[in-house]
Amino acid sequence: MKEYDLTTRRYVIGGVAIAVVLLYIARLFYLQIMSPDYKKNADSNAFLKKVEFPSRGIISDRNGKLLVYNKPSYDIMVVMNEVGHKQDSVVVFDTLEFCRTLNITRDYFDRRMRDIKDRSKNPGYSPYTQQIFMSQLSDQEFSVFQEKIYRFPGFDIQKRSVRQYEYPSAALVLGDVAEVSSKDVKKDAYYQPGDYIGKVGVERAYEEALRGQKGVQVLLRDARGRIQGHYMNGEYDTQPTPGKDLTLSIDIDLQMLGERLMEGKLGSIVAIEPSTGEILCMVSSPSYDPRMMIGRQRGKNHMALARDPMKPLLNRAIMGTYPPGSTFKTSQALTFLTEGIITEGTNYPCHRGFVYGGMRVGCHGHGSPLSLIPAIGTSCNGYFCWGLYHMLTDKKYGNITSAMNKWRDYMVSMGFGYQLGVDLPGEVRGMIPNGDFYDHAFKKGWNALGVISISIGQGEVTLTPLQIANLGATIANRGYYITPHVVKEIQDQALDSSYTVRHYTKASHQAYELVVQGMRRAVQAGTCRRANRSDYAVCGKTGTAQNKGRDHSVFMGFAPMEEPKIAIAVYVENGGFGATFGVPIGALMMEQYIKGKLSSSSEAQAASIQKRHISYGKADR
């Protein structure tokens, strides 16, 4: 028994010894073969891999005018394990001289060095590779530092470019470029801490096309770390590939006029070329000069804009949702005509509004009864309330929920209730209710009178200014639209097919022709008379959207009537009647685009509108 125990112990001890040896071998294998640390250390002693950044693609407007270009800039890079030099086994680095040279404080230096090493803030950190210490040095700062760089081992200068903006306009369309976040780095392996990325607008939406591809220079070091030239005569170097240039559909002259006209007002102007879906201008007011987002002051300026109660960072054209008001009546006419609820000759009474069963929806004074075309021309509330009432109570749909869902299907086919798919980030969908929505909202049941206000663009219905402009483009095209987009061409690359496909609505071509006649009547003898011209035919529809405060002023239209070149929506928050701001602004914008410039009398009118500011209280914002 004793001999058995000794034999067992011998095997156990031997097994433990073998296990320990195998563990050491495995650990040595990992450290020397698998772990990148030693390889990085060895590589950093022998090589310096210097990233060469590509020039970002330039951006021009539809007429070839340069909007965004690049300017040389300089970043200070640091390899942390090379900072300073050894003297009597002590690392020496003149921090104070370094700070004086860059005009920074010692506190900033210490904080920045800590942040570089903090992997929670800098997930790509390695002490053997270049990290960005300070970005976007001016030419003067670069020159001063360059003269003394030999005193600061471990630090180097890297040349790249920063964006420059030719005009103080279109900030929310163009977007801006800034340093990547940790989320950006984790999401895309292309980026390293300190890289730049498009943050909003076109810069964000077309980031992959604009950014290009980085290049790398593999430089050889000697035993003292001094650069000796390119490794293998540059055989392993790669050249950067420039980003692709973009041509926008925006007309910068039209854009700047729109921003002038919207000074001192909240709201938006969107203009579209109906035949292509190309966005000619996208104004959101208030806005800001895109040049505020350049340089090391970007963060400070962005914070100030973010705190502004007027919300200049909000692109109201695609992020603002509003009641469309009477511009929405055109979509109701299209639906009622196609569904056979009304015909061109159908007459409805309007006794200063829609009056039925104790309910009254008011309207301004005009002749009564009246048919469809004059109802559009005078923007009669009563007419369209009667149309929706008869649709929702028509027995052919079976019940009111089914009738409401049929109505909703028409609205969705016209581009409402969902994102249109514009090539800019942040678009919202707006609101189009259906029968199920009202079944849920009214547990005890509901009827046509309870939702009648949606027929005149009030109630639960909300649209974005882009959707209202797209409605104008769809009517101009007599029944289809192409997804609105702000990029016209990408260098050596086709546009996404979604921006070339026609989307046909459920309404008939004949219905569209009648609505066009009604919109023409509105300009010739109705609510849009201030947009009438003798040299080309304008079609329009006003809107006075009710609000908790002052009403919103809205206009939607297109011109010329035949072969339209421009469809437009103007939305001025708390601007009053549609004819007050919406119509004259829309008329001036159409004139600028069709004629190429404003007449002297129109220029005087534009200057007058520019000076007319609206006072906004907290409730109006």
Side-chain angles (χ1 to χ4, degrees):
M1 186 72 175
K2 189 174 183 180
E3 184 180 339
Y4 173 77
D5 290 341
L6 290 172
T7 302
T8 303
R9 288 178 185 175
R10 186 168 65 246
Y11 285 134
V12 171
I13 292 170
V16 170
I18 292 170
V20 170
V21 171
L22 290 175
L23 185 62
Y24 271 105
I25 292 172
R27 181 59 178 164
L28 287 169
F29 176 79
Y30 173 77
L31 289 174
Q32 295 188 27
I33 306 300
M34 302 299 293
S35 173
D37 291 343
Y38 287 101
K39 184 176 186 304
K40 283 182 179 178
N41 200 356
D43 283 352
S44 69
N45 288 331
F47 305 113
L48 173 64
K49 292 183 178 178
K50 194 170 185 178
V51 175
E52 287 192 290
F53 289 93
S55 59
R56 199 168 174 87
I58 64 172
I59 303 175
S60 304
D61 88 334
R62 67 186 296 109
N63 299 312
K65 292 184 177 180
L66 187 63
L67 303 180
V68 187
Y69 59 98
N70 303 304
K71 179 182 178 182
S73 178
Y74 307 92
D75 297 341
I76 296 180
M77 310 299 293
V78 60
V79 178
M80 298 299 282
N81 73 331
E82 297 179 5
V83 174
H85 63 279
K86 285 188 177 181
Q87 180 176 310
D88 298 330
S89 300
V90 177
V91 175
V92 177
F93 184 82
D94 192 342
T95 305
L96 293 179
E97 177 64 19
F98 182 88
C99 293
R100 280 195 296 267
T101 302
L102 288 175
N103 195 27
I104 60 175
T105 64
R106 174 62 187 266
D107 179 66
Y108 176 88
F109 175 86
D110 293 338
R111 186 172 67 253
R112 187 70 192 113
M113 296 296 272
R114 286 195 302 270
D115 288 346
I116 290 172
K117 295 177 183 178
D118 187 345
R119 284 189 167 88
S120 65
K121 298 179 180 179
N122 185 13
Y125 171 69
S126 167
Y128 311 114
T129 60
Q130 285 190 327
Q131 308 290 319
I132 189 164
F133 175 82
M134 192 172 178
S135 63
Q136 299 190 29
L137 270 68
S138 66
D139 291 341
Q140 184 177 359
E141 291 170 324
F142 160 73
S143 299
V144 172
F145 188 76
Q146 178 75 0
E147 290 178 1
K148 299 182 180 181
I149 195 170
Y150 69 94
R151 298 186 187 181
F152 312 123
F155 286 87
D156 192 13
I157 293 177
Q158 176 175 262
K159 183 179 177 180
R160 67 164 81 193
S161 59
V162 294
R163 296 304 243 179
Q164 296 291 310
Y165 300 89
E166 186 69 18
Y167 300 91
S169 183
L172 292 169
V173 175
L174 297 172
D176 62 90
V177 174
E179 196 169 325
V180 291
S181 65
S182 57
K183 185 183 293 186
D184 294 324
V185 174
K186 291 176 182 177
K187 186 177 179 181
D188 191 335
Y190 175 87
Y191 300 104
Q192 296 297 320
D195 286 358
Y196 298 153
I197 190 173
K199 289 294 184 180
V200 293
V202 169
E203 294 278 18
R204 184 70 178 189
Y206 288 85
E207 167 67 14
E208 289 191 16
L210 287 165
R211 72 187 184 189
Q213 290 294 325
K214 298 173 187 172
V216 177
Q217 289 185 23
V218 184
L219 304 176
L220 189 64
R221 302 176 187 265
D222 64 12
R224 294 186 179 182
R226 295 173 299 194
I227 301 299
Q228 298 300 301
H230 290 265
Y231 175 63
M232 296 288 288
N233 293 320
E235 183 177 343
Y236 294 97
D237 292 355
T238 57
Q239 295 297 315
T241 304
K244 296 181 182 298
D245 297 340
L246 299 183
T247 300
L248 302 191
S249 57
I250 298 293
D251 181 320
I252 193 60
D253 293 328
L254 188 68
Q255 179 78 22
M256 289 192 295
L257 173 61
E259 292 183 11
R260 275 181 56 204
L261 296 172
M262 290 297 291
E263 279 186 23
K265 310 166 188 70
L266 298 179
S268 177
I269 304 172
V270 180
I272 299 173
E273 183 177 65
S275 61
T276 62
E278 293 173 1
I279 296 174
L280 304 173
C281 80
M282 181 180 282
V283 175
S284 179
S285 182
S287 186
Y288 57 92
D289 187 335
R291 290 171 288 198
M292 293 176 66
M293 296 303 188
I294 299 172
R296 295 200 296 271
Q297 294 301 310
R298 180 191 183 278
K300 179 181 177 181
N301 291 337
H302 187 274
M303 186 175 294
L305 291 169
R307 290 174 175 172
D308 189 328
M310 306 306 276
K311 301 179 181 179
L313 294 177
L314 176 71
N315 188 346
R316 287 169 162 82
I318 60 174
M319 298 176 180
T321 55
Y322 304 95
S326 295
T327 61
F328 199 62
K329 292 172 183 174
T330 55
S331 67
Q332 305 309 288
L334 293 165
T335 302
F336 304 154
L337 285 165
T338 307
E339 281 295 294
I341 303 300
I342 63 172
T343 66
E344 179 185 357
T346 299
N347 283 270
Y348 284 131
C350 181
H351 306 292
R352 289 277 179 170
F354 172 80
V355 182
Y356 187 85
M359 168 171 276
R360 180 182 183 85
V361 178
C363 188
H364 55 276
H366 56 73
S368 175
L370 72 175
S371 59
L372 175 64
I373 290 175
I376 295 174
T378 59
S379 196
C380 174
N381 286 342
Y383 192 95
F384 297 96
C385 288
W386 278 115
L388 182 64
Y389 177 81
H390 286 142
M391 180 173 181
L392 295 182
T393 56
D394 197 311
K395 294 181 179 179
K396 72 179 179 179
Y397 299 111
N399 56 59
I400 193 171
T401 299
S402 296
M404 191 74 216
N405 287 339
K406 173 65 73 171
W407 176 89
R408 181 254 188 190
D409 290 344
Y410 273 86
M411 299 304 102
V412 171
S413 78
M414 295 177 195
F416 309 143
Y418 292 91
Q419 295 175 340
L420 279 168
V422 66
D423 53 344
L424 289 173
E427 182 190 8
V428 299
R429 59 184 289 176
M431 172 63 180
I432 293 292
N434 60 13
D436 299 329
F437 172 87
Y438 288 123
D439 288 344
H440 180 75
F442 301 104
K443 301 294 186 182
K444 296 182 180 180
W446 57 286
N447 58 39
L449 295 179
V451 301
I452 204 72
S453 62
I454 65 174
S455 66
I456 57 172
Q458 299 288 163
E460 292 72 31
V461 171
T462 60
L463 306 181
T464 64
L466 176 66
Q467 290 172 332
I468 300 173
N470 193 61
L471 170 62
T474 305
I475 298 171
N477 289 333
R478 276 62 165 180
Y480 73 86
Y481 67 90
I482 296 172
T483 301
H485 51 284
V486 297
V487 171
K488 182 180 176 70
E489 294 176 3
I490 306 174
Q491 180 185 4
D492 302 325
Q493 183 178 321
L495 275 183
D496 190 293
S497 60
S498 62
Y499 302 123
T500 60
V501 175
R502 293 184 177 186
H503 301 273
Y504 287 89
T505 77
K506 293 176 66 68
S508 68
H509 180 80
Q510 182 182 7
Y512 275 101
E513 290 291 358
L514 291 173
V515 168
V516 168
Q517 292 179 38
M519 292 177 67
R520 180 64 182 146
R521 172 75 70 91
V523 174
Q524 289 178 312
T527 56
C528 301
R529 286 190 297 272
R530 293 181 68 183
N532 199 22
R533 296 182 61 96
S534 60
D535 49 350
Y536 55 85
V538 176
C539 297
K541 182 73 193 75
T542 53
T544 305
Q546 294 177 6
N547 182 45
K548 290 180 181 178
R550 290 166 292 178
D551 292 341
H552 302 313
S553 178
V554 196
F555 172 76
M556 179 269 291
F558 62 90
M561 180 176 175
E562 304 299 334
E563 299 183 5
K565 295 180 180 179
I566 181 173
I568 193 166
V570 179
Y571 209 106
V572 180
E573 297 181 29
N574 311 119
F577 293 114
T580 303
F581 281 108
V583 174
I585 289 175
L588 289 169
M589 294 291 286
M590 288 189 283
E591 179 184 345
Q592 169 68 37
Y593 186 69
I594 292 173
K595 307 297 286 187
K597 64 178 182 179
L598 297 180
S599 66
S600 57
S601 60
S602 293
E603 181 57 49
Q605 185 184 14
S608 175
I609 292 174
Q610 182 179 357
K611 293 176 183 177
R612 292 172 62 189
H613 292 191
I614 298 174
S615 177
Y616 292 95
K618 290 184 179 180
D620 296 324
R621 296 171 190 160

